[in-house]
Amino acid sequence: EDQVTQSPEALRLQEGESSSLNCSYTVSGLRGLFWYRQDPGKGPEFLFTLYSAGEEKEKERLKATLTKKESFLHITAPKPEDSATYLCAVQELGGAQKLVFGQGTRLTINP
Amino acid sequence: DGGITQSPKYLFRKEGQNVTLSCEQNLNHDAMYWYRQDPGQGLRLIYYSQIVNDFQKGDIAEGYSVSREKKESFPLTVTSAQKNPTAFYLCASSMRTGGVNIQYFGAGTRLSVL
């Protein structure tokens, strides 16, 4: 059974303090790994898709990387507006087009 | 303006009552999904549909029902058989391709029990 585990559950940083969020996954074959951002009381907003080990994608202060067993979301010099819950999800090769989500990391950036 | 519209934003259910959550999309996407989110947990798949007039159960389908009569619409009914319906419900859609499937989400409906 596909499994996705995110760590830490919550992370509190000072503005400008860089860090990384982790997403570990277990699938028989990976079609894609997705990162979403979710603000309180709102739907998730798509950030990145990664397809194969070694791939990296960047958007503003965020960079996502992928290995065969985990993905990292690196946040460089974060600002308070980066505070949100970050969700990781995987789609399995050959299966129905559905995503399996981790429980999320709640990130708080203090000014 | 293309997007996914969920309504209502807040919904209250009485004991023994069925309630229906609406989800409409104008993105011309083939596939649509319903997820449930509980506090501190990730999204869990309730039902999904890859084409009109066809849908499949997800991981937690018991106590829920859906229909897909139109491409644009995928309503979710929370039946009285769902004993713990209080949660945040999210609808998503995606283009049905043979490859990677990016899902885009609506703003959600928060359901509470009176």
Side-chain angles (χ1 to χ4, degrees), chain A residues 42-89:
Chain A
K42 298 191 177 180
E45 174 189 345
F46 171 73
L47 293 173
F48 304 109
T49 307
L50 301 166
Y51 302 95
S52 57
E55 188 175 3
E56 299 184 353
K57 288 195 176 170
E58 287 189 64
K59 179 180 180 180
E60 295 181 356
R61 294 175 292 281
L62 300 176
K63 182 168 81 171
T65 62
L66 182 65
T67 72
K68 287 189 178 179
K69 294 192 174 182
E70 57 190 351
S71 176
F72 291 94
L73 185 65
H74 305 277
I75 302 176
T76 302
K79 298 181 178 182
E81 53 262 43
D82 294 321
S83 297
T85 295
Y86 291 86
L87 298 168
C88 171

Side-chain angles (χ1 to χ4, degrees), chain A residues 31 36 38 51 91 96-97 102, chain B residues 33 37 97-98 100-101 103:
Chain A
R31 182 182 295 278
Y36 287 85
Q38 186 177 25
Y51 302 95
Q91 184 185 0
Q97 294 192 343
Chain B
Y33 310 79
Q37 187 174 34
T97 69
V100 171
N101 164 33
Q103 295 184 20

Side-chain angles (χ1 to χ4, degrees), chain B residues 46-89:
Chain B
I46 305 172
Y47 269 98
Y48 64 103
S49 168
Q50 294 184 303
I51 198 167
V52 174
N53 292 322
D54 187 47
F55 49 83
Q56 287 78 41
K57 292 182 179 179
D59 301 318
I60 55 166
E62 187 174 349
Y64 300 97
S65 67
V66 293
S67 63
R68 186 86 187 277
E69 297 176 1
K70 299 187 300 181
K71 186 175 183 178
E72 302 80 16
S73 178
F74 191 41
L76 173 74
T77 296
V78 184
T79 75
S80 57
Q82 173 48 246
K83 298 306 179 189
N84 183 23
T86 297
F88 190 47
Y89 290 86

